[in-house]
Amino acid sequence: MDPISERLRARHPQRIDLSLDRMRALCAALGNPQDKLPPVVHVAGTNGKGSTVALIRAIAEAAGLRVHAYTSPHLVRFNERIRLAGTLITDDALNAILDRVEAAMAETGGEATVFESTTAAGLLAMSEAPADLAVIEVGLGGSLDATNVIARPLLSVITPVDLDHAEFLGTTIEGVAGEKAGILKAGARGVVARQSEAAMAVIERRAAEVGSPLTVMGVDFDAWAERGGLVYQDHERFLDLPAPALSGAHQFDNAGVAIAAALELDLPEAAIAEGLKAVRWPARMQRLTAGPYADKAQKADAELWLDGGHNPHAARALARALSDRQVRAPRPTALIVGMLANKDAGGFFEALKGIDAQVFTVAFDGTAAEPEALAAVAQGRGFGALAAGSVDAALDRALALGAGRVVICGSLYLAGEVLGTSRETWPI
């Protein structure tokens, strides 16, 4: 664990407690930094939030804008969560900001969770560094998420809504959509990804209640892959653009949402094209070409991929991406899977059932599912599955059995451990 994460875990409650009261009090003690930000694009959704933030940031930076970004969770270093005008916050700057957050808490006699403290630190740092735009990702849900102290975003973006974090957001699409739609604000346009009918009805109802005009994928605009590139169309324009540099068919939808947001920001077509080519977002169908695991795979003439998706919706996207690659370049496939114990492992493997792959299950630091239990779930969905214990052992077994394509997947925490094994693979 990196030193900043250790500091936060030692000094703040690690529970998740969705409420804005503590966050509002903490922000007030800090001078309400959320009201002193550059124009904000606020992004919620079940899947694709981080990729969409990365795409919007890449396009805006290609247009010459200085862009702050706040995302979660981090993969290797806590600093990844706070990007100031394009650069990750330094350890010294982050520690100084956290000192001020903790001093404000002490003055008010209040308490804040790790995520609330982190968010307050991010808002404070971004309020004091010059920039032209801030792109802020919701942590969990929307309406009661700590980031929702932002009262006047320039744009609200809602990526695809599906079931996840049932213990906090409920077990119905309508309930989850209601939480996500809580970021919609009066007068701020909402850019909405393609949704199920049930989710869209809830989002439209919330938008009407608060007075947020909507721009909806599949209604007001669309994007799709064509001739090796991406086509974007809305009521006013037809753009022939490069494919996004992020792997997977689902990234065309994420890119479409980001393009719609960029056009609302009046960013030029040239910057959109450049941003699509330049975007980077680790652990989302990322091809690993450096580090000890990649070295092993390369010696065996195998591809190695890393994906942090951890719910059924993300698994469906992974299945599509792997199917597409298998059509283009057939190879024996192995999945190295580790998941948090509270995730829907059955739904995850169910979504992957169309993939012909050997599964190896692994553990990682934290509240991970036991590899044996995870292997049993995979076997129940028709996979040949073995508990391998560690990524190292799983990769050795997969390569020994002749796998030519190995995908490490199931958790961003697992992905972070993999990336953390070599400085060459640390996100920057």
Side-chain angles (χ1 to χ4, degrees):
M1 186 182 297
D2 71 289
I4 301 293
S5 296
E6 289 179 357
R7 168 184 176 156
L8 283 161
R9 287 179 181 273
R11 301 185 189 185
H12 302 279
Q14 296 175 41
R15 67 180 185 273
I16 295 174
D17 184 3
L18 297 180
S19 167
L20 285 179
D21 293 341
R22 290 183 306 275
M23 189 64 189
R24 286 185 177 125
L26 179 54
C27 285
L30 292 167
N32 287 313
Q34 76 277 12
D35 297 332
K36 302 172 185 176
L37 299 174
V40 170
V41 178
H42 198 190
V43 183
T46 304
N47 289 296
K49 298 191 302 291
S51 296
T52 302
V53 168
L55 284 155
I56 294 170
R57 179 170 66 83
I59 293 168
E61 288 178 343
L65 301 186
R66 297 166 299 174
V67 185
H68 295 330
Y70 180 71
T71 57
S72 62
H74 62 280
L75 294 169
V76 180
R77 296 168 297 157
F78 195 88
N79 314 56
E80 297 165 30
R81 297 177 181 232
I82 302 171
R83 190 175 292 271
L84 302 177
T87 303
L88 296 186
I89 191 170
T90 65
D91 285 349
D92 288 345
L94 183 49
N95 274 310
I97 287 285
L98 288 170
D99 285 343
R100 293 167 62 189
V101 170
E102 289 167 1
M105 288 169 54
E107 287 175 10
T108 60
E111 185 183 68
T113 66
V114 168
F115 188 72
E116 288 164 349
S117 304
T118 304
T119 302
L123 296 174
L124 184 58
M126 289 189 289
S127 72
E128 295 179 346
D132 304 299
L133 189 69
V135 189
I136 296 178
E137 178 189 358
V138 165
L140 180 62
S143 61
L144 296 176
D145 183 74
T147 64
N148 211 30
V149 292
I150 296 166
R152 295 182 296 277
L154 178 62
L155 283 178
S156 300
V157 176
I158 301 178
T159 67
V161 172
D162 210 314
L163 297 177
D164 198 11
H165 302 289
E167 66 272 39
F168 302 106
L169 304 181
T171 57
T172 68
I173 289 291
E174 291 85 352
V176 176
E179 288 297 315
K180 309 296 185 184
I183 70 163
L184 296 173
K185 303 296 194 319
R189 181 165 292 277
V191 177
V192 183
R194 209 182 315 275
Q195 305 288 348
S196 68
E197 186 175 333
M200 197 64 232
V202 173
I203 293 168
E204 288 176 336
R205 186 162 60 247
R206 168 69 182 181
E209 288 171 356
V210 302
S212 172
L214 296 182
T215 298
V216 180
M217 190 169 200
V219 177
D220 303 299
F221 70 94
D222 216 332
W224 60 92
E226 188 171 296
R227 299 188 307 276
L230 178 148
V231 171
Y232 175 92
Q233 185 174 18
D234 61 24
H235 298 309
E236 300 176 10
R237 57 183 70 79
F238 184 95
L239 304 180
D240 195 358
L241 296 162
L246 304 177
S247 296
H250 58 292
Q251 295 294 1
F252 284 81
D253 274 1
N254 291 336
V257 173
I259 293 164
L263 291 170
E264 290 292 340
L265 297 171
D266 292 325
L267 301 181
E269 181 180 340
I272 293 172
E274 186 58 36
L276 291 175
K277 292 187 292 183
V279 64
R280 299 291 181 270
W281 192 234
R284 281 74 174 179
M285 270 306 285
Q286 177 185 359
R287 179 78 178 269
L288 284 183
T289 58
Y293 299 126
D295 291 343
K296 273 189 181 183
Q298 287 167 358
K299 286 177 183 175
D301 193 30
E303 298 175 3
L304 184 61
W305 295 81
L306 184 66
D307 189 77
H310 49 262
N311 56 41
H313 185 273
R316 289 193 291 273
L318 174 60
R320 288 195 300 272
L322 290 177
S323 294
D324 289 346
R325 290 203 68 79
Q326 196 68 0
V327 167
R328 294 198 302 271
R331 287 188 166 211
T333 299
L335 304 178
I336 298 175
V337 184
M339 301 187 74
L340 289 173
N342 64 348
K343 294 300 178 182
D344 180 9
F348 186 86
F349 285 114
E350 185 70 27
L352 291 170
K353 276 180 70 172
I355 301 300
D356 181 13
Q358 172 69 41
V359 172
F360 299 91
T361 56
V362 299
F364 51 90
D365 285 345
T367 55
E370 290 293 334
E372 292 78 10
L374 201 55
V377 175
Q379 291 163 3
R381 297 309 190 277
F383 287 96
L386 297 170
S390 70
V391 171
D392 211 43
L395 183 58
D396 285 344
R397 296 188 72 170
L399 296 175
L401 290 173
R405 178 171 295 127
V406 181
V407 184
I408 303 170
C409 58
S411 171
L412 285 170
Y413 296 97
L414 174 62
E417 287 192 9
V418 170
L419 294 175
T421 58
S422 171
R423 281 184 174 267
E424 290 181 279
T425 56
W426 284 12
I428 57 173

